[in-house]
Amino acid sequence: MSGTAMARRRAVAVTLALELLLVALGFVVAQQVDVDGESKPKPVANHLGPDFVDIRTVPSVPTAPATVPGAASGTFTWDCGRNEIGHRNTANIVMAPGYPGQAHHVHDYVGNVSTAVNSTPRTLARAATTCQNGDRSTYFWPVLRTVGAGGATGHTGHDGEIQVPVELTLTYFGNPKGNVVAMPQQLAGTVGDAVAVTNGDANAAATWTCSSTPERRTTAYPVCPGGDRVLRVYDFPSCWDGRRTDSQSHRSHLVFPSRNGDCPHGTFPVPRLRVTLSYDIPPGVRFQIDAFDGQRNSPLTDHAFVVNLMPEPLMGRVVACLNSGQACREG
């Protein structure tokens, strides 16, 4: 074997050993085209832990399905604040009404200011709201906490400073295959699964991304480029069975459409809710959602709920806007 061939084999062996070392140290190996046109491995730091992923390695999501002529192509956006008032508690009026919840699983709220463990349809219907257009619906999800740099965490896994979003957007979308019908009062919607680590990820649906890469979605915590905001996105189900406002599973009465936008047989398209939360998280700072014991604060367990309490005239405006293809904004 020539000296040149032996040198090449040594170089390959050294490269493989380096890659194995990087993986062991918690690095992600990405491909980069060098100036000479060759594809070479580039280590991307993943020192925050296995639940974090560099957003640059996440593929883009498929484009939205095509909208047929005459379908509901509009959008309706309104302002309910970003929980500047600090409305938080451990209750869950959808999954466990009347139960105070575990002390380390705290929810953030916007909308109805009275949502608590003892809430009833009557108390919710007459309460004040943070929404400027009078929407009394309640929207809630687990709080997000920062828990230190370099993977440092608190002693319990449940502490850390609660982060208030710097921006929060509520938007209703239509349906690409036809018109939408109004949501009834008290209709409950669920996205994600708080126990996805033990249940499996079949219902894991909340997604994360960064402000400069909204087309890249992941169920992991994203490592964003410097200057970016961390985005937390909930896309709710939007195919209603036309009868129930809730169900035993809290899912079967309001389900997701297919990839092309069709609702399953026996269901009707209603306005599709998207909630987007934006956070200023400094680079290198670890963050996590509040979670139940045994779920290791996994991003797979992120979830959110809505209970529709929009006054009927307001819901009527939403439906008319979506079905007429307008881009409406209130507040």
Side-chain angles (χ1 to χ4, degrees), residues 26 47 64 85 89 96 103 112 128 145 149 154 163 182 192 198 209-210 219 231 242-243 247 296 303 306 308 313 331:
H47 61 282
I85 65 174
N89 58 49
N112 199 296
R145 300 179 186 268
Q163 299 299 298
T198 50
T209 186
C210 303
T219 53
L231 302 188
R243 299 179 293 110
S247 53
R296 60 177 180 75
H303 54 282
V306 58
N308 174 54

Side-chain angles (χ1 to χ4, degrees), residues 18-19 21-23 26-32 40-46 54 56-57:
L18 179 59
E19 290 182 11
L21 177 60
L22 291 172
V23 171
F27 285 83
V28 177
V29 178
Q31 292 296 315
Q32 179 188 33
K40 296 185 177 181
K42 176 187 177 184
V44 180
N46 190 25
D54 190 313
R56 294 171 295 177
T57 68

Side-chain angles (χ1 to χ4, degrees), residues 24 57 70 82 92 102 104 119 128 142 158 185 212 273 279 304:
T57 68
R82 49 190 181 87
N92 189 324
Q102 298 182 17
H104 53 258
S119 292
H158 303 304
Q185 289 275 305
S212 68
L273 176 64
Y279 299 91

